[in-house]
Short mmCIF file of all heavy atoms in Angstrom, two decimals:
data_model
loop_
_atom_site.label_atom_id
_atom_site.label_comp_id
_atom_site.label_asym_id
_atom_site.label_seq_id
_atom_site.Cartn_x
_atom_site.Cartn_y
_atom_site.Cartn_z
N ALA A 439 132.98 -136.61 118.15
CA ALA A 439 132.73 -136.72 119.60
C ALA A 439 131.40 -136.20 119.93
O ALA A 439 130.71 -136.74 120.84
CB ALA A 439 133.82 -135.89 120.30
N GLN A 440 130.91 -135.18 119.21
CA GLN A 440 129.58 -134.56 119.45
C GLN A 440 128.49 -135.56 119.13
O GLN A 440 127.44 -135.64 119.78
CB GLN A 440 129.42 -133.31 118.62
CG GLN A 440 128.15 -132.56 118.73
CD GLN A 440 128.09 -131.62 119.99
OE1 GLN A 440 128.97 -131.66 120.79
NE2 GLN A 440 127.01 -130.84 119.96
N MET A 441 128.69 -136.33 118.02
CA MET A 441 127.54 -137.22 117.56
C MET A 441 127.30 -138.20 118.61
O MET A 441 126.15 -138.67 118.78
CB MET A 441 128.01 -137.90 116.23
CG MET A 441 127.96 -137.01 115.04
SD MET A 441 128.89 -137.63 113.62
CE MET A 441 128.09 -139.17 113.36
N ALA A 442 128.25 -138.68 119.41
CA ALA A 442 128.07 -139.72 120.35
C ALA A 442 127.50 -139.13 121.68
O ALA A 442 127.18 -139.82 122.62
CB ALA A 442 129.35 -140.41 120.61
N GLY A 443 127.61 -137.78 121.79
CA GLY A 443 127.11 -137.14 123.02
C GLY A 443 128.10 -137.21 124.15
O GLY A 443 127.76 -137.29 125.28
N THR A 444 129.42 -137.24 123.79
CA THR A 444 130.40 -137.31 124.87
C THR A 444 130.45 -136.04 125.70
O THR A 444 129.93 -134.97 125.31
CB THR A 444 131.83 -137.58 124.21
OG1 THR A 444 132.09 -136.50 123.30
CG2 THR A 444 131.80 -138.88 123.47
N SER A 445 131.28 -136.08 126.77
CA SER A 445 131.33 -134.88 127.70
C SER A 445 132.08 -133.75 126.97
O SER A 445 132.86 -133.97 126.02
CB SER A 445 132.12 -135.27 128.96
OG SER A 445 133.45 -135.56 128.67
N GLY A 446 131.93 -132.55 127.51
CA GLY A 446 132.57 -131.35 126.97
C GLY A 446 134.09 -131.49 127.01
O GLY A 446 134.78 -131.07 126.10
N ALA A 447 134.58 -132.05 128.09
CA ALA A 447 136.07 -132.15 128.22
C ALA A 447 136.61 -133.14 127.19
O ALA A 447 137.67 -132.86 126.58
CB ALA A 447 136.46 -132.64 129.61
N PHE A 448 135.91 -134.25 126.97
CA PHE A 448 136.33 -135.23 125.97
C PHE A 448 136.36 -134.60 124.55
O PHE A 448 137.24 -134.75 123.74
CB PHE A 448 135.51 -136.43 126.00
CG PHE A 448 135.98 -137.51 125.09
CD1 PHE A 448 136.92 -138.42 125.51
CD2 PHE A 448 135.45 -137.63 123.79
CE1 PHE A 448 137.36 -139.46 124.62
CE2 PHE A 448 135.84 -138.62 122.91
CZ PHE A 448 136.80 -139.53 123.32
N ARG A 449 135.29 -133.84 124.26
CA ARG A 449 135.17 -133.14 122.95
C ARG A 449 136.28 -132.18 122.76
O ARG A 449 136.88 -132.08 121.70
CB ARG A 449 133.77 -132.49 122.86
CG ARG A 449 132.65 -133.45 122.69
CD ARG A 449 131.44 -132.71 122.03
NE ARG A 449 131.00 -131.62 122.86
CZ ARG A 449 130.08 -131.71 123.90
NH1 ARG A 449 129.56 -132.88 124.17
NH2 ARG A 449 129.69 -130.65 124.55
N ALA A 450 136.59 -131.43 123.76
CA ALA A 450 137.64 -130.45 123.64
C ALA A 450 138.97 -131.06 123.42
O ALA A 450 139.76 -130.62 122.54
CB ALA A 450 137.69 -129.57 124.94
N LYS A 451 139.30 -132.13 124.17
CA LYS A 451 140.52 -132.86 124.02
C LYS A 451 140.64 -133.48 122.59
O LYS A 451 141.68 -133.42 121.92
CB LYS A 451 140.76 -133.90 125.05
CG LYS A 451 140.93 -133.36 126.46
CD LYS A 451 140.97 -134.51 127.50
CE LYS A 451 141.10 -133.98 128.89
NZ LYS A 451 141.12 -135.06 129.86
N SER A 452 139.56 -134.09 122.11
CA SER A 452 139.50 -134.69 120.83
C SER A 452 139.73 -133.70 119.72
O SER A 452 140.43 -133.90 118.75
CB SER A 452 138.23 -135.47 120.63
OG SER A 452 138.08 -136.52 121.57
N THR A 453 139.05 -132.49 119.89
CA THR A 453 139.14 -131.48 118.88
C THR A 453 140.58 -130.94 118.79
O THR A 453 141.07 -130.77 117.67
CB THR A 453 138.18 -130.30 119.25
OG1 THR A 453 136.82 -130.74 119.26
CG2 THR A 453 138.26 -129.22 118.21
N LEU A 454 141.21 -130.74 119.95
CA LEU A 454 142.63 -130.29 119.90
C LEU A 454 143.49 -131.28 119.28
O LEU A 454 144.38 -130.96 118.44
CB LEU A 454 143.03 -129.97 121.34
CG LEU A 454 144.54 -129.46 121.47
CD1 LEU A 454 144.71 -128.18 120.74
CD2 LEU A 454 144.80 -129.26 122.97
N ALA A 455 143.36 -132.56 119.62
CA ALA A 455 144.17 -133.62 119.08
C ALA A 455 143.98 -133.71 117.54
O ALA A 455 144.91 -133.92 116.79
CB ALA A 455 143.84 -134.97 119.70
N GLY A 456 142.67 -133.59 117.09
CA GLY A 456 142.41 -133.68 115.61
C GLY A 456 143.07 -132.49 114.89
O GLY A 456 143.61 -132.67 113.80
N ALA A 457 142.95 -131.33 115.43
CA ALA A 457 143.50 -130.11 114.83
C ALA A 457 145.04 -130.24 114.71
O ALA A 457 145.66 -129.97 113.64
CB ALA A 457 143.14 -128.88 115.57
N LEU A 458 145.69 -130.64 115.81
CA LEU A 458 147.17 -130.78 115.79
C LEU A 458 147.61 -131.93 114.88
O LEU A 458 148.66 -131.73 114.16
CB LEU A 458 147.70 -130.99 117.18
CG LEU A 458 147.53 -129.82 118.19
CD1 LEU A 458 147.98 -130.16 119.58
CD2 LEU A 458 148.25 -128.56 117.66
N ALA A 459 146.92 -133.03 114.91
CA ALA A 459 147.29 -134.15 114.02
C ALA A 459 147.06 -133.77 112.54
O ALA A 459 147.75 -134.20 111.64
CB ALA A 459 146.52 -135.37 114.39
N GLY A 460 145.99 -132.95 112.26
CA GLY A 460 145.71 -132.57 110.94
C GLY A 460 146.65 -131.49 110.36
O GLY A 460 147.07 -131.60 109.19
N GLY A 461 146.89 -130.40 111.12
CA GLY A 461 147.72 -129.37 110.56
C GLY A 461 148.88 -128.89 111.35
O GLY A 461 149.61 -128.05 110.98
N GLY A 462 149.13 -129.62 112.55
CA GLY A 462 150.25 -129.14 113.36
C GLY A 462 150.12 -127.66 113.75
O GLY A 462 149.09 -127.03 113.64
N LEU A 463 151.24 -127.18 114.30
CA LEU A 463 151.30 -125.72 114.66
C LEU A 463 151.63 -124.93 113.39
O LEU A 463 152.75 -124.48 113.27
CB LEU A 463 152.29 -125.51 115.75
CG LEU A 463 152.03 -126.28 117.10
CD1 LEU A 463 153.21 -126.11 118.06
CD2 LEU A 463 150.76 -125.83 117.74
N PHE A 464 150.67 -124.91 112.48
CA PHE A 464 150.95 -124.39 111.15
C PHE A 464 151.51 -123.00 111.09
O PHE A 464 152.22 -122.61 110.16
CB PHE A 464 149.66 -124.43 110.32
CG PHE A 464 148.55 -123.55 110.87
CD1 PHE A 464 148.45 -122.21 110.43
CD2 PHE A 464 147.68 -123.97 111.75
CE1 PHE A 464 147.48 -121.40 110.92
CE2 PHE A 464 146.67 -123.13 112.28
CZ PHE A 464 146.58 -121.87 111.87
N PHE A 465 151.21 -122.22 112.11
CA PHE A 465 151.64 -120.77 112.17
C PHE A 465 153.12 -120.60 112.43
O PHE A 465 153.70 -119.54 112.24
CB PHE A 465 150.86 -120.05 113.27
CG PHE A 465 150.86 -120.73 114.65
CD1 PHE A 465 151.91 -120.53 115.47
CD2 PHE A 465 149.86 -121.55 114.97
CE1 PHE A 465 151.98 -121.15 116.73
CE2 PHE A 465 149.89 -122.22 116.25
CZ PHE A 465 150.94 -121.96 117.12
#
Side-chain angles (χ1 to χ4, degrees):
Q440 177 86 351
M441 285 164 61
T444 59
S445 67
F448 184 86
R449 289 199 300 269
K451 292 176 183 177
S452 298
T453 300
L454 179 61
L458 292 176
L463 301 173
F464 64 91
F465 51 84

